[in-house]
Amino acid sequence: MSELLLSGGTVHTLDDDRRVAEAVLFRDGRVAAVGDTETVDAAATDPELIDLDGRTVLPGFNDAHTHVFSVGIGLLETDLSAADDREEALELLAENADSTPAGEWVLGFQYDESTWPAGGRDYLTKGELDAVSEAHPIVAVRVDGHSATLNSRALEAVDFSGVEHDVRTEGGEPTGRVVEDATGRVRAASYPDVPKAREALDAAIDRYHELGVTSIQTVAGLTRVREHGYVQQEALFAHWREDDLDLRTTFYVPQWQAESLSDLEIASGFGDEWLRIGGLKTFSDGSIGSETAKTHREYAGGGRGEMVNDREQLREWFARAARTNQQIATHAIGGEAIDVVIDEYERALAEYDDGFDPRLRIEHAELATDEAIERMADLGIVASMQPNFLQWNGDDGLYENRLGDDVRPENNRYREMLDADVPLAFGSDKMPPGPLYGMSFAVESPYESQRLTVDEALAAYTRGAAYAEFQEAEKGVLEPGRFGDAVVLDADPYENPDSFDEIAVELTVLNGDVVYDGR
Ligand SMILES: [Zn+2]
């Protein structure tokens, strides 16, 4: 029997009555007791004891939408989100090139030109990357993962046959910018092997522990890495088999495996407490940053974006998933894409087994209209949203620059989702991962349509996220019988609504064990 007792602090159980306790006892991976110090002490036999010294305990955070390998690869390669302007981004890539043997890939992730000083906000160019090095293939992937810039050497190294439409050209010559499917080819060429994927997974797991995250829902991207199977899946299953997956993981299977998934009759929830199959992940449109989200409004650069899969394709996938009672998580950002997905979800819902609510999910739902929000509520569609996206909703920020000033109160309407009774789950989409950072935006938003209370934000990152993956009986609440997953903070978010993102994670407890100690 193994016991861990945390006492002498404030324990927010997040149960239905929002009970607050002083101590919590974990036994053999589960919560054994929670309450006042005396009662919980009495329930313990021979516990490892940690004095909270006034600290705050919450259920472990659950990132409802992430790309765990991108988190890990970003940690192992160059993180361009740290660059304050394009010169700095190029310097970081040059440092990487200096320490990389000639001919090997130099990879940069998370570059975000929209945050750079005015006058320097164009996408990175092929010429700039050629100037960094012509001896290495170099790729800089944009923060949204939907587009990238390549140098000449990288353009030669990637096979774009079949996806030429996503390789941007000028006068017949590739500009170095690629979007959507072509971005996937870049990742396939530059990151193909399992040992490297497992290294990335380890790095991501450590990072998540530091952030107080004990569960993730990792959704497949658009990248098809090879004809059969999937390197990232192989890495996940290898970690699971060897008991190295120290993060409760629900995996949403990529759209190109829709057929295999339903041929195996795999229903949502298959797996164990460490690795489960959530269901199918599909895409409907692109992103606002890359001006590829399918919107009702016109972009500053013209056009209204594009569907990456049309209505008929989505219908076919949804019908297949419905026949085998699989949950579906569909990426939809622009208002028009969201409308199409809701239409097709409504049609598919009739085909699930009677009495089974598949909790169909819309990922992002950034530009949902009033009508779409109402329909989501009526159909029980889960809004899987990312409060950290509001980092782009400031003055002169990406939302305003791409779609006009009046879009600022009309994107990411978490408040209006909750008010309409749409189930809300929070995640990070790894931009960057970090629940406290993310929630600070929803709590502090100047727009009523987006602003949540501390309790609502915390619930979306715990209980709401658990609901989105059918795990609300196990996760999201600290009460006896639940998974022993918790986070200990140096300050109480309920008491510090204006300085949320200054709160530090001090301990992370997973399965009743301390997996991170930052004290
Ligand atoms: Zn995503």
Side-chain angles (χ1 to χ4, degrees):
M1 189 165 73
S2 93
E3 288 185 337
L4 174 68
L5 173 59
L6 308 181
S7 73
T10 305
V11 181
H12 290 284
T13 63
L14 286 188
D15 70 1
D16 292 345
D17 302 323
R18 296 300 194 270
R19 270 181 301 171
V20 180
E22 298 167 346
V24 55
L25 173 70
F26 304 100
R27 180 183 297 134
D28 296 335
R30 301 254 170 189
V31 176
V34 57
D36 60 71
T37 308
E38 269 171 43
T39 316
V40 177
D41 267 351
T45 313
D46 181 25
E48 179 194 342
L49 177 67
I50 293 179
D51 181 0
L52 290 169
D53 199 14
R55 294 180 179 86
T56 298
V57 184
L58 290 166
F61 296 130
N62 184 339
D63 189 337
H65 179 123
T66 188
H67 303 271
V68 70
F69 291 94
S70 298
V71 172
I73 292 166
L75 291 165
L76 299 179
E77 306 288 346
T78 300
D79 177 8
L80 296 175
S81 69
D84 290 328
D85 54 39
R86 58 198 306 115
E87 291 72 28
E88 200 179 336
L90 294 166
E91 270 164 37
L92 290 169
L93 289 168
E95 281 169 28
N96 182 331
D98 282 345
S99 60
T100 304
E104 285 184 21
W105 290 92
V106 170
L107 304 175
F109 290 90
Q110 317 264 50
Y111 94 79
D112 187 356
E113 79 298 328
S114 78
T115 63
W116 294 343
R121 286 194 194 141
D122 298 326
Y123 299 119
L124 291 171
T125 67
K126 176 173 71 172
E128 286 173 321
L129 299 191
D130 280 341
V132 168
S133 167
E134 292 184 357
H136 303 81
I138 304 178
V139 180
V141 182
R142 217 186 156 272
V143 62
D144 58 17
H146 287 262
S147 68
T149 302
L150 285 68
N151 71 348
S152 302
R153 180 113 185 212
L155 278 170
E156 283 162 26
V158 181
D159 175 11
F160 291 112
S161 47
V163 297
E164 292 89 348
H165 57 281
D166 283 339
V167 179
R168 298 284 188 249
T169 56
E170 228 173 76
E173 278 300 300
T175 63
R177 260 197 91 231
V178 301
V179 302
E180 305 303 339
D181 288 347
T183 312
R185 292 293 180 85
V186 173
R187 207 159 305 162
S190 60
Y191 232 85
D193 73 77
V194 175
K196 220 167 158 185
R198 292 192 67 180
E199 218 182 297
L201 190 50
D202 281 332
I205 289 170
D206 287 347
R207 180 71 188 128
Y208 268 118
H209 291 169
E210 288 170 10
L211 295 168
V213 174
T214 52
S215 287
I216 58 164
Q217 300 168 49
T218 188
V219 296
L222 276 166
T223 316
R224 181 163 193 164
V225 177
R226 60 188 187 199
E227 196 53 37
H228 298 287
Y230 192 30
V231 171
Q232 301 186 350
Q233 268 153 256
E234 202 174 327
L236 269 180
F237 279 102
H239 255 57
W240 171 81
R241 195 178 63 240
E242 293 171 23
D243 276 338
D244 286 336
L245 194 57
D246 290 330
L247 203 53
R248 302 190 196 275
T249 303
T250 293
F251 176 65
Y252 286 84
V253 174
Q255 57 192 29
W256 67 87
Q257 292 178 335
E259 206 164 325
S260 324
L261 190 68
S262 51
D263 280 351
L264 280 168
E265 307 283 338
I266 290 179
S268 286
F270 174 78
D272 65 10
E273 64 180 274
W274 296 105
L275 183 59
R276 305 165 65 250
I277 301 293
L280 181 66
K281 168 75 190 297
T282 66
F283 283 80
S284 66
D285 64 349
S287 74
I288 292 170
S290 299
E291 299 202 350
T292 50
K294 185 76 177 155
T295 53
H296 291 301
R297 310 159 171 266
E298 182 134 353
Y299 286 106
R304 295 194 290 114
E306 56 189 78
M307 296 294 282
V308 298
N309 290 299
D310 62 19
R311 186 187 283 275
E312 287 66 38
Q313 176 65 75
L314 293 172
R315 184 176 302 171
E316 186 195 321
W317 282 329
F318 293 176
R320 199 182 277 285
R323 276 199 301 278
T324 39
N325 293 309
Q326 287 157 8
Q327 190 185 27
I328 311 168
T330 302
H331 166 117
I333 287 175
E336 196 172 324
I338 292 168
D339 292 346
V340 168
V341 172
I342 295 172
D343 287 347
E344 297 308 318
Y345 272 175
E346 186 167 18
R347 178 187 295 266
L349 275 168
E351 300 183 38
Y352 283 86
D353 281 357
D354 280 349
F356 176 62
D357 172 7
R359 301 184 187 175
L360 299 176
R361 303 169 47 142
I362 293 185
E363 305 303 309
H364 315 308
E366 284 163 68
L367 297 176
T369 61
D370 290 346
E371 196 198 340
I373 293 174
E374 284 306 322
R375 292 181 72 199
M376 288 173 73
D378 288 346
L379 298 170
I381 294 171
V382 175
S384 166
M385 303 182 76
Q386 295 73 36
N388 48 319
F389 281 12
L390 291 185
Q391 69 187 280
W392 295 294
N393 201 36
D395 223 3
D396 201 21
L398 177 139
Y399 283 104
E400 177 184 327
N401 289 332
R402 297 288 201 272
L403 291 162
D405 187 44
D406 63 336
V407 84
R408 286 178 64 189
E410 292 177 22
N411 66 79
N412 291 292
R413 297 189 294 159
Y414 324 117
R415 159 94 276 132
E416 292 181 3
M417 290 282 182
L418 281 186
D419 284 351
D421 279 331
V422 176
L424 179 67
F426 268 170
S428 71
D429 204 9
K430 52 82 187 152
M431 298 184 193
L436 289 164
Y437 167 76
M439 287 184 279
S440 70
F441 288 97
V443 171
E444 294 170 30
S445 170
Y447 302 107
E448 211 170 315
S449 55
Q450 297 158 342
R451 195 165 55 240
L452 299 186
T453 65
V454 167
D455 185 69
E456 288 166 338
L458 289 172
Y461 240 121
T462 52
R463 297 168 56 108
Y467 177 85
E469 56 158 340
F470 291 91
Q471 287 286 282
E472 72 276 16
E474 302 276 27
K475 304 178 181 177
V477 174
L478 290 172
E479 62 187 14
R482 306 277 189 142
F483 286 153
D485 302 347
V487 56
V488 178
L489 307 175
D490 72 343
D492 188 340
Y494 287 88
E495 314 267 308
N496 295 274
D498 300 327
S499 51
F500 228 75
D501 61 338
E502 288 160 30
I503 298 172
V505 172
E506 299 228 310
L507 282 175
T508 302
V509 175
L510 174 66
N511 207 41
D513 293 321
V514 173
V515 290
Y516 169 73
D517 188 345
R519 289 175 298 167

